[in-house]
Amino acid sequence: MDLDDWVTNSNECFFLNLYRPTTEQQRVFDDSFNPSFTYTVVEENESITGYKNPQIELDFRANDLKPKLKIQFDEKLELKDVPDISQVDLSPELFRKYLPEPAADDSDALSQDWKPPGERMTSFAIQGQQYEIWKSPLADETARRIWKNMSILVLLYIEGATTEGLDDEETLDRWSLYLLYEVTPLPDAATSPYTLAGFSTSYRSWVFPTLEILRATKQLPSPPPEANGDATKYIPPRLTQDPETFLILDKLNRLETPSRERISQFLILPPYQGQSLGSRLYDTIFEDLVKKPFIFEIPVEDPSEAFDAMRDYSDIIYLRALPSFQSLSITSTLPPESLRKDSPIPRNQILGNGVDLEKLRRETKIVYRQFYRMVELHLLSTIPSSNRSRARITRKAKASNENDRKYYFWRLALKHRIYGQNADALDQMEVSEKVEKLEAAVDNQQEEYEERLEGLEKRASFAAGEGSSNGAVAKSKRKRAIIDEEDDWEDMDDASRSLSHVTTPEQPRRPHIRQWVESPSPHRRLRKAAFGLERAAKASIPTTYHNLVPYKKKQAQTPEGTEIARQQYDADLASILLALDPRPDLIVCAGWMHIVTPAFLTPIAKANIKIINLHPALPGEFAGAGAIERAWKAGKEEGLKRTGVMIHEVIAEVDAGEAIVTQEVDLREGESLDELEERIHGVEHGLIVEGTRRTLEGIGKARAQ
C-alpha cells in the first residue's frame, strides 16, 4: 500500500466561506478560499494522514461570523499504533478548542435590523460597493461574541499568531475591535445587509509618564519662555487626597492615562484583498487613535512584509498632508566643520534642514523607526531619479550639481541610521568589509523605497479608477540590510531568537537550530517558518523544529496539565539533542523564552553538555521576562543609572547561573523603551558571540588537559 495516497495537505483540503443569515444559509462566494496556515489548528506538519479525500468546510455567518463546521472523507485508515506516524482525529473534537459553543440565543443576528456593535467610524464606496467600519470595545457582549466566532481566522491567516489573553477579564477593557463590513441590500428584505470583509484589534498599554511624554500627550504644558526650556521648573499636577483617610479624591480613568495603542491582529478576508480595503481599515484606525491626546505612540505588532508595504503607503500619504512634513527638504550644503571625518553626522540637519524632527514625530505619533523611514522615503522622492546614482557622487559634498550633493547627503543620513541599528555587528568587521556592507545596505533600502514610490503612483492611478491596486504590493521580499548569509548571530533581532547547539573549534560541526519566536506583545508565538530557520535552510544547515503546542493539546487546560506538558516536551527535546550524531558540545539559548525543567537539564548535564543563555540584565538583576522594561521603569522611578546584558550558564533557577560575560548599558534620561530595547539588542548581538567563544575555548582547554 502506498501511504502517500493517504496523506493530504491540510491547507488544501480546508475550505472557508461565508453564508447569509437566512434559512437557506446561502453561501456568499461561489468559490471557497483556503487558509494560509493550519499548523496550529490541525497538525504541526500541515498534513492529514490516514484519510482518503478529506474535506473540511468551515462557513461563517456573514454578519456575526457564527461558525458552521462540516467534515467528511471517503475512507479512514487507522494508523495511531504505527510508529513515527502522527494521525489526527479528523472530527469536530479537533476544532473544539478554536470554535465557541453555540450561543443560547442569537436570533437577533437574523434580523434585517441587525447592526454591528459599537459606533460606526466611517462609510465609503469602492468600485460601486458600499463599506462601513465599526469600532467596539471588546468588553461589549456582542463584540466579544463576534470575536470568539471568528478568532480561528487569526490562526489560519496570521503566521505565528495566538488569541491567548483576549479573554482575560482584567485587561478586556484595553482591547478594541474594528470591523470592516460590506453593506449590500439583499433581495430578501428580512436579511441583514452586513457582510464582514476584515477586522483588526488594538491593545492599549500604559507608558511611564515622563515629562516629555506628558507634554506629548497634552497632560503637561510646555515650559514658558521664562523657564528657558528647563523642565525641572515644572511640577506635575498632583492628585488631591482626603486629609483624614488619605484616599484619592480625583477620579482617574486609567484608560486615558499616557498610553501606547498597539495595532494587533489585522486581517482582510481573501475575497476582499487587492482592493485597498486594508489601507482604508488601517487609515481609519490610525485616524481614530491619533486624535486621542493621551495616546503617545501607535505601534504595530509584528507586521508582515505585506502589511509593512501597506502601512508605508498609508503613513506617507498621511504625513505628506501635514504642512510641517511637506516643508522638509534635504540640505545641499553643510558647514566645513560638519564634514570633517571626526565630526558626528548631522543627520537631523541633513534631513530636517533646521526642523525639529523628533518634535514632529511625537506630533504624528508614529514610532521612531517607521517615522524616520518615511522621512527618508519622502526626501528621496524630492531628488530626481537621474541623480539617484552612486556613480554621480564621486566628489561627494563637492559635487557641482545641487541634486547630486543632496543625494550624497541623503545616503550619508541613511548610513547613519543603519549603522546605529547595527553598530555592534559592524564594529566586529574590518573597515573595508564594514564600508561594503553599509553601501550594500543603503542600496537595498533605496531599492525598497523606489518600489514604494512606484507603488504610490499605481495606487493613485487605482484611486482615480485607472487600474488595479495590486501593483502597489511590494514586488519582492525585503532584503536584510547588513547581514551576510555566513554570519550566525548578527541578524538576531527581537523577532528571531533561537536555541542552538554548537561545537568546539577543534571539532567543527554544522549547528542545528531550534527556533522560538517571541512576540513584542503580551502574546507568545511559535513560528515554524521563522527567519532563523529560513537562513539555516539557505546555508544548508540541518534544523529541528520541536513544538510545545501538541504537548499542551494532549493535557488538561489547567496549570497542572500545562506543567505535565512542559515536562514531557523538555524530556523529548533532550532526547532529540542527545540522539544527534555527533552530539553537541554546547547548547546556546538566545532569547529562547521557554524555562527548561529538570526533565531537560538533568540528561543534558549527565551527557556533559554545557548550556548557556542570553539575558538582557546584569547578574542578580531583573531575572525572568520583561527585564528590559523593568530596568527602564527602574531608571524612571528609582533613578537606576545602568542595566546590561549577560551570557550565563543555565541552571534550574531562572537567569541565576554563573555569568560568563557581561556588558553594562547606561540608562539615558528621556529615552523611550523602544530606543533602550534597540540599544540592548545591539549589545546582545555581539555579546552572544563573545560568550559562545569563551565557553567553547573553556571546553577545548578542559579536553586538552
Side-chain angles (χ1 to χ4, degrees):
M1 180 180 61
D2 189 355
L3 193 58
D4 289 343
D5 295 336
W6 295 81
V7 179
T8 307
N9 183 289
S10 55
N11 295 335
E12 297 174 359
C13 68
F14 201 139
F15 302 95
L16 298 105
N17 212 317
L18 304 181
Y19 66 90
R20 302 291 182 195
T22 62
T23 53
E24 294 82 10
Q25 297 186 354
Q26 176 188 2
R27 282 182 168 174
V28 174
F29 305 107
D30 293 335
D31 297 322
S32 296
F33 43 98
N34 302 104
S36 300
F37 312 101
T38 52
Y39 57 82
T40 300
V41 176
V42 180
E43 203 272 337
E44 64 174 319
N45 293 319
E46 296 188 331
S47 63
I48 297 175
T49 304
Y51 294 86
K52 185 67 69 72
N53 298 324
Q55 186 165 310
I56 304 168
E57 296 179 1
L58 182 57
D59 294 348
F60 297 89
R61 193 155 59 191
N63 56 344
D64 69 344
L65 279 291
K66 179 181 179 180
K68 181 179 64 172
L69 177 67
K70 179 182 178 182
I71 298 175
Q72 60 186 23
F73 47 85
D74 294 343
E75 192 176 350
K76 179 179 179 181
L77 185 66
E78 288 294 344
L79 298 171
K80 290 188 176 180
D81 296 330
V82 179
D84 301 324
I85 291 182
S86 174
Q87 183 179 29
V88 299
D89 179 16
L90 199 56
S91 69
E93 187 65 27
L94 181 65
F95 297 88
R96 184 178 298 277
K97 179 180 177 181
Y98 308 104
L99 298 176
E101 295 292 333
D105 180 17
D106 60 357
S107 57
D108 58 323
L110 303 177
S111 168
Q112 61 177 331
D113 299 323
W114 184 93
K115 290 186 180 298
E119 61 174 322
R120 187 175 68 179
M121 306 297 294
T122 186
S123 62
F124 57 92
I126 292 182
Q127 296 181 331
Q129 297 295 324
Q130 192 69 28
Y131 296 91
E132 294 178 359
I133 296 176
W134 292 68
K135 176 188 178 182
S136 174
L138 206 52
D140 178 271
E141 183 178 350
T142 303
R144 287 186 71 183
R145 187 172 69 197
I146 292 175
W147 168 252
K148 289 180 179 179
N149 286 344
M150 69 182 182
S151 60
I152 190 174
L153 292 172
V154 172
L155 306 177
L156 296 176
Y157 284 102
I158 302 178
E159 185 182 3
T162 179
T163 58
E164 294 178 8
L166 273 80
D167 55 355
D168 186 346
E169 295 290 343
E170 294 184 2
T171 60
L172 201 60
D173 58 347
R174 294 183 175 273
W175 286 96
S176 294
L177 179 63
Y178 294 85
L179 299 166
L180 168 64
Y181 280 96
E182 180 185 11
V183 186
T184 307
L186 301 171
D188 185 351
T191 301
S192 169
Y194 287 93
T195 300
L196 189 87
F199 63 88
S200 178
T201 59
S202 68
Y203 179 78
R204 187 167 301 169
S205 58
W206 179 77
V207 60
F208 186 84
T210 63
L211 291 176
E212 172 195 356
I213 290 176
L214 286 172
R215 290 196 186 96
T217 54
K218 312 301 183 187
Q219 300 191 23
L220 190 66
S222 298
E226 60 269 20
N228 294 320
D230 186 359
T232 61
K233 294 183 180 295
Y234 265 88
I235 300 176
R238 296 182 179 277
L239 299 175
T240 55
Q241 292 178 294
D242 185 295
E244 296 182 0
T245 64
F246 298 103
L247 295 175
I248 301 297
L249 300 178
D250 304 80
K251 290 185 177 180
L252 181 65
N253 184 347
R254 67 190 183 100
L255 294 180
E256 295 187 1
T257 55
S259 306
R260 285 187 176 90
E261 184 105 1
R262 185 185 300 276
I263 297 174
S264 189
Q265 294 93 347
F266 187 103
L267 177 65
I268 302 298
L269 297 184
Y272 291 98
Q273 293 176 7
Q275 304 174 50
S276 294
L277 289 172
S279 296
R280 290 292 190 123
L281 178 57
Y282 173 80
D283 291 344
T284 300
I285 296 171
F286 193 91
E287 290 168 9
D288 174 46
L289 299 178
V290 79
K291 292 184 295 186
K292 293 178 168 51
F294 51 84
I295 291 180
F296 176 61
E297 283 181 336
I298 308 172
V300 175
E301 178 183 337
D302 198 14
S304 66
E305 290 185 0
F307 186 94
D308 266 342
M310 181 204 72
R311 177 171 59 157
D312 285 351
Y313 298 130
S314 290
D315 285 351
I316 195 64
I317 291 171
Y318 159 68
L319 289 168
R320 282 178 168 177
L322 304 176
S324 53
F325 189 87
Q326 281 184 349
S327 65
L328 294 180
S329 62
I330 308 173
T331 186
S332 60
T333 58
L334 285 175
E337 58 270 19
S338 297
L339 296 173
R340 291 169 46 189
K341 290 186 177 181
D342 58 348
S343 297
I345 295 176
R347 176 177 164 80
N348 284 353
Q349 187 177 350
I350 292 173
L351 298 180
N353 210 357
V355 175
D356 186 342
L357 290 176
E358 192 57 23
K359 179 182 178 182
L360 178 58
R361 184 187 75 82
R362 289 194 294 268
E363 291 172 356
T364 63
K365 304 190 179 183
I366 297 177
V367 293
Y368 182 90
R369 178 180 177 274
Q370 176 68 1
F371 175 80
Y372 284 101
R373 288 182 67 255
M374 294 300 96
V375 171
E376 294 160 359
L377 172 64
H378 171 65
L379 293 179
L380 178 64
S381 72
T382 66
I383 302 173
S385 57
S386 59
N387 296 90
R388 302 175 199 163
S389 170
R390 288 168 60 181
R392 295 185 60 97
I393 56 174
T394 54
R395 299 189 65 224
K396 301 181 179 179
K398 297 180 180 179
S400 58
N401 186 293
E402 180 184 23
N403 286 318
D404 288 343
R405 295 197 302 273
K406 286 185 176 182
Y407 178 62
Y408 167 72
F409 287 134
W410 179 86
R411 287 183 67 93
L412 195 63
L414 179 54
K415 286 179 189 177
H416 181 269
R417 178 175 69 82
I418 293 175
Y419 189 95
Q421 292 175 350
N422 299 272
D424 200 76
L426 288 166
D427 286 345
Q428 298 179 49
M429 301 178 186
E430 297 293 334
V431 173
S432 59
E433 183 185 9
K434 187 185 304 184
V435 171
E436 180 184 350
K437 294 285 188 182
L438 268 176
E439 293 291 353
V442 172
D443 289 342
N444 290 338
Q445 186 64 81
Q446 180 179 333
E447 180 183 346
E448 180 187 289
Y449 286 159
E450 289 180 338
E451 287 179 2
R452 295 291 194 265
L453 293 174
E454 181 183 346
L456 280 169
E457 294 179 3
K458 291 182 178 180
R459 287 192 166 220
S461 298
F462 173 74
E466 299 173 9
S468 168
S469 66
N470 291 337
V473 178
K475 293 189 294 186
S476 61
K477 287 189 175 182
R478 180 175 306 165
K479 299 179 181 179
R480 305 298 291 186
I482 292 295
I483 307 307
D484 185 89
E485 289 190 359
E486 298 301 318
D487 298 328
D488 282 337
W489 298 101
E490 283 80 359
D491 70 333
M492 291 272 183
D493 56 22
D494 60 352
S496 182
R497 307 299 181 89
S498 68
L499 167 71
S500 304
H501 64 267
V502 298
T503 57
T504 62
E506 292 79 10
Q507 295 176 301
R509 308 170 191 163
R510 287 180 171 177
H512 288 58
I513 300 175
R514 191 272 185 208
Q515 186 73 23
W516 176 283
V517 173
E518 179 68 10
S519 157
S521 77
H523 311 300
R524 179 174 295 172
R525 303 184 167 201
L526 284 169
R527 180 175 294 173
K528 186 178 181 181
F531 182 70
L533 293 181
E534 293 177 5
R535 291 190 68 240
K538 290 179 181 178
S540 299
I541 298 173
T543 63
T544 301
Y545 177 75
H546 188 52
N547 195 337
L548 178 61
V549 173
Y551 292 83
K552 287 186 174 181
K553 285 184 177 180
K554 294 177 183 178
Q555 303 299 329
Q557 302 302 303
T558 62
E560 294 77 12
T562 299
E563 182 59 28
I564 293 172
R566 289 179 65 243
Q567 294 280 352
Q568 293 175 345
Y569 170 87
D570 283 2
D572 287 352
L573 178 59
S575 298
I576 290 171
L577 293 172
L578 294 175
L580 294 172
D581 185 19
R583 280 185 177 179
D585 302 301
L586 172 64
I587 296 172
V588 181
C589 304
W592 196 51
M593 304 302 291
H594 178 75
I595 299 175
V596 290
T597 65
F600 176 81
L601 293 172
T602 301
I604 295 297
K606 287 181 179 179
N608 200 28
I609 299 173
K610 280 190 171 293
I611 313 173
I612 64 174
N613 180 54
L614 163 71
H615 184 61
L618 296 174
E621 300 179 1
F622 307 112
I628 300 177
E629 183 174 3
R630 286 185 285 149
W632 180 77
K633 287 183 177 179
K636 303 295 181 185
E637 300 172 1
E638 303 168 17
L640 185 67
K641 299 299 183 184
R642 56 94 190 103
T643 181
V645 179
M646 70 170 170
I647 310 300
H648 66 90
E649 295 182 357
V650 174
I651 60 175
E653 187 177 351
V654 177
D655 299 324
E658 182 179 351
I660 298 165
V661 60
T662 64
Q663 183 171 331
E664 290 191 358
V665 176
D666 61 303
L667 295 174
R668 299 172 182 173
E669 186 175 353
E671 183 176 45
S672 70
L673 175 59
D674 289 341
E675 291 167 338
L676 175 61
E677 286 179 340
E678 186 171 327
R679 288 199 298 119
I680 286 182
H681 292 328
V683 172
E684 289 175 341
H685 300 163
L687 209 65
I688 189 67
V689 176
E690 177 62 18
T692 302
R693 184 188 65 78
R694 292 189 186 187
T695 306
L696 290 174
E697 284 184 354
I699 293 173
K701 290 178 181 178
R703 290 184 176 176
Q705 293 177 352

